[in-house]
Amino acid sequence: MAKSCPISTFFIVISVLSHFTSRIGLRPWADALPLERQSLDNASRLRVDPDAIRMASRDFGKLVHLPNPAAVLYPCSIEDIASLVKFSYNLSSPFSIAARGRGHCHSGQAMAPHGVVVEMRSLNDCSRGSGIRVTKNSILGSYADVGGEQLWVDVLKATVKHGLAPVSWTDYLYLTVGGVLSNGGISGQTFRRGPPISNVYEMDVLTGKGELVTCSEDTNSELFFAVLGGLGQFGIITRARIVLEPAPKRVKWIHMLYHDFSAFSRDQEHLISINGLDYLEGSLFMENSPPNNWRSSFSPSDYPRISSLISKKGIIYCLEVVKYYDDLTSHTVDEELKELLKGLNFLPRFVFRKDVSFVGFLNRLQNAEQDLGAKGLWDVPHPWLDIFVPRSRISDFNKGVFRDILPKINQTTGPIHVYPMIRNKWDDRMSAVTPDEDIFYVIGLLHSSGADDWKPLENQNKEILQFCDKAGIKIKLYLSRYTTKEDWMKHFGPKWKTFEDRKAQFDPKMILSPGQRIFNSI
Ligand code: FAD
């Protein structure tokens, strides 16, 4: 198993540096360079300075402080990463390696205590990664070949230039392709198109043995399915071939408010069961929510009456739907929407309509970092809880958690998401885990807290999990952060054996993504 004891730190740095500065580690692409120059380039890509170590020891969550990595690799090519992984694999005591996208995970999942963190975004700076290449093919299907280090927002910008776009997204697009595909990816398109992991044709994956393998549903399929939702355990995604379809031009975007949870969830489930909408999410506004949580979705003239509704009712549920359209459908889209929303039970005066560009809609959170940063809510701890709740128990969850547990804390501190998904849009051969019911709900409690007051929110998260356990609600964590093998075994349930076998096959020395704490105890 990859080592993570302090004594190895010095050894790792010296070994990796000397490896890179020796002729043994030369990569074919650089053979043309003078040897001295090549050695220098390689060595300078491995950094051990405090700035690099500090960056690689942090993540968005700011909750977990694991021991520092020994070094950080800023790769300039996929061969740089392959060379590092092979080097570790060939040692009798290998060191651990974690690919880091943007470090937007929340519990140390992209960290590598005493090992080496690979800053994937550095591939983009050198332009020697896979980049973004769009292939238009109306007969066989269009796709984009995208480096694992690329941001989804850049995939959007590059593909719409060709009149195309991926079909499934995350809400926030400043995440890497590799980081999201390692988790699954969820957003309002998932009910209809499946998560981003269900929309990949092929990948290049660098396994824990340092082998670069092309895999798809038909070729090296075991690796393909392992890696999708595989929490970085089986290989580093260096390229993904992502499904594209013609991009619409604009969207009709509607928010509807409810105070009755059963009407809200009934309408959500009805809407995902019929064909017609392209996106559906839902959220919760509470009396103790800061207004920032909901204001961005409405115009200032509506704030007073929404605010007074929330104060009157305590909890309000917001159903959010989108229908795409383009020049051909612009004359019929309003009528179609009217038909789709007929018979819903939202509060009659509380329906809000917007008409925005497709790109503007997908990239609606483009200013999140600046906006939250300005309010002091970005560079702070984020005790997030993302769970999947089986449909059959969602009303118990509403009562036990939304009505009883959440109001106990004076102020909720971030958006709360509640919306359903359809299980058959997730491929069970993949590593990602969902509840064992046809429909399940995503619950996202996206808290920000002050530097020193995240504990009450963490305790509340624990209370929610304990409540579910006691009530027999068989939830699954998304962006899981278990720390013991026993908890992980329970999480994967019947999939555990396959997960473990795949680890033995593709990363037998347990080198990759140790911060997930599945096979590496830290
Ligand atoms: P990192 O956090 O850097 O890495 C996450 C894990 O993936 C680590 O274990 C890492 O080792 C591994 N990894 C990274 N790159 C690769 C690679 N190329 N190959 C193999 N393994 C790799 N998630 C959603 O599903 N939907 C959302 O709407 C959504 N919104 C978010 C909004 C914000 C503001 C934030 C902070 C997160 C959000 N997330 C969302 C969570 C996000 O999907 C995860 O944080 C995910 O890990 C992507 O972040 P990243 O690219 O920074 O990856």
Side-chain angles (χ1 to χ4, degrees):
M1 187 200 288
K3 274 219 164 146
S4 64
C5 63
I7 206 80
S8 62
T9 303
F10 180 71
F11 168 73
I12 292 167
V13 175
I14 294 301
S15 316
V16 176
L17 277 172
S18 56
H19 164 74
F20 273 160
T21 49
S22 78
R23 293 175 186 205
I24 300 161
L26 292 182
R27 289 81 34 83
W29 63 263
D31 279 349
L33 290 175
L35 291 181
E36 300 71 23
R37 171 74 203 294
Q38 151 67 23
S39 305
L40 210 68
D41 281 354
N42 279 338
S44 67
R45 278 174 219 141
L46 197 73
R47 284 175 52 182
V48 295
D49 56 280
D51 281 351
I53 299 290
R54 196 176 326 112
M55 273 304 292
S57 310
R58 296 163 61 106
D59 62 21
F60 178 78
K62 291 189 184 56
L63 299 169
V64 166
H65 301 284
L66 300 180
N68 287 343
V72 184
L73 181 72
Y74 287 78
C76 210
S77 68
I78 290 158
E79 290 83 352
D80 284 343
I81 314 174
S83 173
L84 178 81
V85 178
K86 259 186 223 148
F87 175 69
S88 177
Y89 180 70
N90 288 327
L91 293 174
S92 56
S93 294
F95 52 86
S96 58
I97 296 172
R100 184 177 191 274
R102 289 204 69 213
H104 271 18
C105 43
H106 49 65
S107 302
Q109 289 93 339
M111 295 181 194
H114 310 298
V116 179
V117 168
V118 180
E119 285 287 359
M120 296 296 288
R121 293 284 299 145
S122 151
L123 286 170
N124 204 39
D125 302 339
C126 294
S127 308
R128 307 241 357 194
S130 302
I132 302 174
R133 288 189 316 275
V134 175
T135 302
K136 215 167 175 172
N137 188 328
S138 51
I139 296 162
L140 294 174
S142 299
Y143 55 81
D145 284 303
V146 175
E149 75 285 356
Q150 296 296 322
L151 299 182
W152 285 93
V153 70
D154 294 326
V155 179
L156 174 64
K157 286 176 187 163
T159 53
V160 291
K161 281 188 196 151
H162 299 262
L164 298 166
V167 297
S168 182
W169 298 92
T170 49
D171 292 341
Y172 181 63
L173 304 184
Y174 296 76
L175 304 167
T176 65
V177 167
V180 167
L181 295 182
S182 297
N183 285 302
I186 48 171
S187 186
Q189 294 87 1
T190 313
F191 83 88
R192 177 152 187 203
R193 309 306 304 253
I197 48 171
S198 296
N199 292 285
V200 176
Y201 286 133
E202 182 183 281
M203 286 181 291
D204 287 340
V205 174
L206 185 61
T207 69
K209 298 176 183 174
E211 294 163 349
L212 190 63
V213 180
T214 300
C215 57
S216 67
E217 191 167 355
D218 304 315
T219 309
N220 296 311
S221 59
E222 196 68 21
L223 180 62
F224 181 73
F225 291 123
V227 166
L228 294 168
L231 307 174
Q233 294 305 301
F234 310 102
I236 297 177
I237 301 164
T238 59
R239 176 187 65 93
R241 179 167 287 182
I242 294 168
V243 176
L244 300 180
E245 282 189 4
K249 287 222 169 93
R250 296 192 65 80
V251 317
K252 298 279 180 184
W253 188 6
I254 302 185
H255 292 82
M256 296 161 271
L257 301 187
Y258 292 73
H259 68 81
D260 173 16
F261 183 75
S262 50
F264 166 72
S265 57
R266 205 172 38 244
D267 283 356
Q268 284 192 320
E269 288 173 29
H270 163 70
L271 290 171
I272 65 166
S273 74
I274 54 173
N275 223 352
L277 290 172
D278 296 293
Y279 167 103
L280 179 144
E281 287 201 1
S283 43
L284 191 75
F285 308 149
M286 300 182 72
E287 209 179 352
N288 61 353
S289 311
N292 304 332
N293 278 10
W294 55 266
R295 280 196 170 166
S296 60
S297 306
F298 305 95
S299 65
S301 58
D302 292 316
Y303 293 169
R305 65 194 188 103
I306 296 172
S307 192
S308 112
L309 180 73
I310 298 171
S311 309
K312 205 159 109 199
K313 303 287 182 188
I315 294 185
I316 289 295
Y317 306 94
C318 176
L319 172 46
E320 180 187 358
V321 297
V322 160
K323 185 153 181 66
Y324 301 158
Y325 72 98
D326 50 30
D327 294 344
L328 272 180
T329 50
S330 63
H331 303 300
T332 51
V333 64
D334 284 326
E335 199 49 44
E336 277 177 59
L337 255 176
K338 202 167 144 200
E339 204 51 39
L340 286 165
L341 305 184
K342 210 153 94 188
L344 300 188
N345 286 301
F346 51 86
L347 296 165
R349 285 177 49 247
F350 291 92
V351 51
F352 307 87
R353 296 183 168 83
K354 280 188 203 166
D355 187 327
V356 300
S357 74
F358 175 65
V359 171
F361 166 69
L362 287 180
N363 201 12
R364 62 201 174 276
L365 297 178
Q366 68 169 321
N367 296 324
E369 189 161 349
Q370 292 92 304
D371 292 351
L372 289 175
K375 291 178 195 120
L377 294 174
W378 188 264
D379 208 14
V380 293
H382 295 101
W384 284 16
L385 183 67
D386 287 271
I387 46 184
F388 294 157
V389 177
R391 176 197 168 271
S392 63
R393 304 302 304 277
I394 195 65
S395 102
D396 299 327
F397 188 91
N398 173 57
K399 192 174 169 315
V401 176
F402 296 155
R403 298 240 162 232
D404 291 347
I405 297 180
L406 292 191
K408 281 195 229 159
I409 282 194
N410 282 344
Q411 202 178 51
T412 61
T413 59
I416 301 176
H417 292 165
V418 193
Y419 57 95
M421 306 200 155
I422 302 177
R423 188 168 177 236
N424 70 15
K425 301 285 177 185
W426 296 64
D427 189 326
D428 213 30
R429 292 170 294 178
M430 295 173 184
S431 294
V433 176
T434 62
D436 197 10
E437 270 187 29
D438 292 346
I439 293 174
F440 60 90
Y441 277 76
V442 172
I443 309 292
L445 302 167
L446 310 183
H447 299 303
S448 304
S449 78
D452 301 318
D453 59 6
W454 53 272
K455 284 241 162 82
L457 290 165
E458 266 297 78
N459 290 340
Q460 188 180 66
N461 289 342
K462 279 188 196 138
E463 191 182 344
I464 292 170
L465 296 179
Q466 278 160 5
F467 162 79
C468 292
D469 199 35
K470 252 196 188 152
I473 303 177
K474 294 191 168 38
I475 57 130
K476 290 290 176 195
L477 279 187
Y478 176 63
L479 309 175
S480 318
R481 46 192 167 118
Y482 295 114
T483 52
T484 66
K485 193 164 180 178
E486 290 65 40
D487 280 339
W488 280 112
M489 288 168 75
K490 205 165 137 210
H491 170 76
F492 283 105
K495 282 186 163 183
W496 171 252
K497 173 89 179 58
T498 309
F499 198 82
E500 201 180 31
D501 289 350
R502 287 169 169 175
K503 184 72 174 176
Q505 191 179 349
F506 301 117
D507 182 21
K509 292 196 175 174
M510 298 177 189
I511 288 171
L512 299 175
S513 288
Q516 297 280 2
R517 290 182 270 183
I518 304 174
F519 298 101
N520 311 66
S521 49
I522 291 166

